[in-house]
């Protein structure tokens, strides 16, 4: 069965520091995609970054990078130079390529990040 | 702004009632997904439509139904509402339906059942 795990319910980080959010996944499917979303207090879900299971390099998008370790089944999000506006809930999600789950995203429980001045 | 629109933004209703949530996907997106986010259950996938056809079902109750119309907008119908149905309902859209396809979320509809 497919599973996404985020073990950090919450964390504080100081402004301008880097923070790593953990995400581990479990799937037997060789083809899958891993996604990170941000949900600020206003409620909307904002797409941040994507990593495909066959991608050779770690994905980067501005201050966001994904530390993809396939053998360990982890896809940690690194936010560099944190800003106050980064305070939000962060969700890791996975989509697999099996026929019965193409339409399904599975989301982790989320990690609440609070950036302090 | 993701380009996905959802109406209404807030909805307050009573137990036993029926409501309809509406979603317009991004221009060009053929896939629409519905999710429910509640404090106790987290973010749960409900259903996926692709170009008018149902493609996958998740944890959707029998009291809930959805459809996608020829113009690609989608509606989620919730009936015989219970207190536990109070949640934030998201619609998301993507171009197709592959593994690499990123879903873009709408702002959500916050449903409160009293």
């Amino acid at each position: 069965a497919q599973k996404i795990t985020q073990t950090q319910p919450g964390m504080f980080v100081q402004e301008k520091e880097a923070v790593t959010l953990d995400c581990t996944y479990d799937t037997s499917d060789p083809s899958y995609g891993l996604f990170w979303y941000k949900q600020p207090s206003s409620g909307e879900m904002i797409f941040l970054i994507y990593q495909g299971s066959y991608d050779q390099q770690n994905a980067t998008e501005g201050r966001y990078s994904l530390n993809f370790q396939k053998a360990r089944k982890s896809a940690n999000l690194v936010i560099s130079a944190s800003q106050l506006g980064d305070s939000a809930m962060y969700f890791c999600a996975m989509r697999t390529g099996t026929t019965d789950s193409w339409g399904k995203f599975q989301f982790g429980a989320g990690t609440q990040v609070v950036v302090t001045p | 702004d993701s380009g996905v629109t959802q109406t209404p933004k807030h909805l307050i209703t009573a137990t036993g009632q029926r409501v309809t949530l509406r979603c317009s996907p991004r221009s060009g997106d053929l896939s629409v997904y519905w999710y429910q986010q509640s404090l106790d259950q987290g973010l749960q996938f409900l259903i996926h439509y692709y170009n008018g056809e149902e493609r996958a079902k998740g944890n959707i109750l029998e009291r809930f139904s959805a459809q996608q119309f020829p113009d690609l907008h989608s509606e989620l119908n919730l009936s015989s509402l219970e207190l536990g149905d109070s949640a934030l309902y998201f619609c998301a859209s993507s171009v197709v339906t592959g593994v690499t396809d990123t879903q873009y979320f709408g702002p959500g509809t916050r449903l409160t059942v009293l």
Side-chain angles (χ1 to χ4, degrees):
Chain A
Q2 285 86 348
K3 192 176 177 182
I4 284 273
T5 303
Q6 294 180 255
T7 56
Q8 306 154 308
M11 53 200 310
F12 288 91
V13 59
Q14 207 151 19
E15 205 175 0
K16 298 179 187 173
E17 289 188 350
V19 60
T20 297
L21 308 184
D22 295 341
C23 173
T24 58
Y25 61 92
D26 188 21
T27 179
S28 56
D29 202 298
S31 177
Y32 52 89
L34 297 159
F35 303 79
W36 278 92
Y37 286 85
K38 170 185 176 182
Q39 187 177 37
S41 57
S42 53
E44 73 267 34
M45 294 283 286
I46 302 166
F47 165 70
L48 295 178
I49 195 166
Y50 160 79
Q51 180 85 43
S53 58
Y54 295 119
D55 292 344
Q56 296 295 312
Q57 292 190 325
N58 287 344
T60 59
E61 288 285 348
R63 294 186 297 111
Y64 304 107
S65 60
L66 202 152
N67 184 2
F68 181 44
Q69 297 189 42
K70 196 169 182 176
R72 298 178 63 182
K73 293 190 175 180
S74 75
N76 298 340
L77 177 71
V78 179
I79 307 174
S80 63
S82 296
Q83 302 172 355
L84 295 178
D86 293 333
S87 294
M89 182 74 92
Y90 289 81
F91 291 96
C92 180
M94 176 174 68
R95 186 175 197 175
T96 56
T98 54
T99 303
D100 65 351
S101 64
W102 261 12
K104 299 179 188 177
F105 260 34
Q106 282 185 285
F107 282 82
T111 296
Q112 181 72 50
V113 172
V114 176
V115 181
T116 59
Chain B
D1 186 350
S2 66
V4 179
T5 60
Q6 287 186 251
T7 57
K9 194 163 184 175
H10 300 278
L11 198 48
I12 301 174
T13 188
T15 54
Q17 295 298 305
R18 172 190 168 95
V19 297
T20 297
L21 313 184
R22 182 188 169 102
C23 167
S24 292
R26 296 185 318 160
S27 176
D29 284 1
L30 300 177
S31 273
V32 170
Y33 311 79
W34 286 97
Y35 292 88
Q36 179 194 59
Q37 186 179 33
S38 60
L39 284 174
D40 55 342
Q41 299 272 354
L43 199 58
Q44 298 283 320
F45 166 75
L46 295 178
I47 199 164
H48 168 214
Y49 276 85
Y50 174 73
N51 204 20
E53 291 186 9
E54 181 187 304
R55 290 299 295 265
K57 260 185 175 178
N59 303 320
I60 188 165
L61 300 171
E62 283 193 14
R63 301 183 285 108
F64 295 1
S65 65
Q67 53 183 328
Q68 186 180 26
F69 295 88
D71 67 353
L72 301 176
H73 91 271
S74 178
E75 292 180 356
L76 179 68
N77 300 297
L78 316 176
S79 62
S80 303
L81 285 167
E82 302 174 0
L83 296 177
D85 297 328
S86 294
L88 186 55
Y89 290 84
F90 284 108
C91 163
S93 74
S94 65
V95 176
V96 284
T97 185
V99 168
T100 63
D101 215 31
T102 297
Q103 294 183 14
Y104 293 90
F105 282 72
T109 292
R110 187 168 293 281
L111 174 66
T112 303
V113 182
L114 301 175

